[in-house]
Amino acid sequence: MKKKVLSIMLVGALAFSMAACGSSSSSETTTDDTTSAAAETDDTSAEAETAETSDTDSDGRTVITLFRSDDGNGAIEAAIEAFEASQDEYSVEWVVASSDTDENRNILNTALSAGSSEYDVMAIDTCWAGDMAAAGYIEALDSYMQEAGRTQAEYNAGSLQAGTYNAKTYALPLYPDFGVLYFRSDIVSEEDAATLISGDYTWADLQAMAEAYMGEGGTTYGITFQAPQAEGLVCNANEYTANFTDIEGGLQAMKNMVDSAATPDDILIYQESETLTSYVNGETVFARNWPYQWGNLTDDSTVTQDQTEVAPLPGGSCIGGWLLAINVNSENKEGAWALLDYLTAGEGQQIFCSVGGYVPGYNAYLEDADVLEANQLLTKEGFLNALENTIARPSSDNYDELSDALQISIHTYLSGEADLDTTVAEVEALLAEE
């Protein structure tokens, strides 16, 4: 495995430096010397170009380029090394992308819009698939899946939905991330806890519980979640409206929760960090957040894992996480599929998830002993129930624009500056345009 760190600024600075040095060449160089130097430069350039564009490694294996950030836990390295050891036809060059999601999207869009074949397999956010598929940047995978004997039912439903555009599959899950409800098991009754864990409850039921339990165990609030004019609001609205299938009922339930005494007065600016802090510090009984919150509940925090249970959300759990896609301009599509399939459904999926503690996007590994040992949440009934009902955000060929418009409309309603009928009509119109 070759590992290459992507650094646009460094490349640009180097190019500028070389240009500056070139402009300071002596004008007294003789014609013969100039010709000789030019020939040497041409030879060097040709060698460099050959090395740069070669699609085989020193062992004669076809090189597949993977664009993916480094989470720092060794998971992707272990999976790549296992892939290379599993066969002798392909090796992998890992281009280590930035930890900044927006920066990576800009890098990919710039390269793909120019028709670049630089990256064969790319890790993409669940919100990007529709945009990239509509733009013709990524390869449809249905024929590859059919030939490999893969079926859609084998993958996490919400992740697969996120990677689908116009009834075609364009990306498969590397790992899903999704919203869940955390609650204080030392405060909530066993009967109510069982109801929550089963998922057989409504938003009205949750609001009633939040109002009933707030103040117990030193808490101040009943429930916190994400409701600012930001992407988190779209995720929460997606859950309240059951994937936007009940826009009127869902938005009304969300407004009821916002106006309830159980939520903080400033709930409309609560993001993930505020939600996390309020729960970890023992300020709230219930908190809707992402799985990473579990890791923040330690023996040193005010609220520990022993005091916490996890449950699914009434309208489904909004999906996040990362997908893998193939560059439509890849010159090694068969090899790209071999790597993608290995990482999303083959042994690489098991290795990646067990080393990194991720939730598998391929359902067969949800009961794998190594994966379960690496992620305690996968042993919890409520978490598994949430995993069974994951929902993607709306698919769009311009998701950023759609999301911004949804945020404005919904936040205006929750702030009391628009009525329900007007907001429902606006949201329906926005979704109908997609």
Side-chain angles (χ1 to χ4, degrees), residues 153-205:
E154 295 176 293
Y155 302 89
N156 175 266
S159 297
L160 194 72
Q161 181 188 1
T164 301
Y165 181 76
N166 278 352
K168 290 185 178 181
T169 304
Y170 284 90
L172 293 174
L174 180 60
Y175 70 91
D177 198 15
F178 48 93
V180 294
L181 181 72
Y182 292 87
F183 68 91
R184 291 282 298 273
S185 56
D186 60 335
I187 294 177
V188 176
S189 71
E190 290 185 9
E191 181 182 358
D192 284 343
T195 297
L196 292 168
I197 289 171
S198 72
D200 187 19
Y201 68 99
T202 66
W203 291 109
D205 293 334

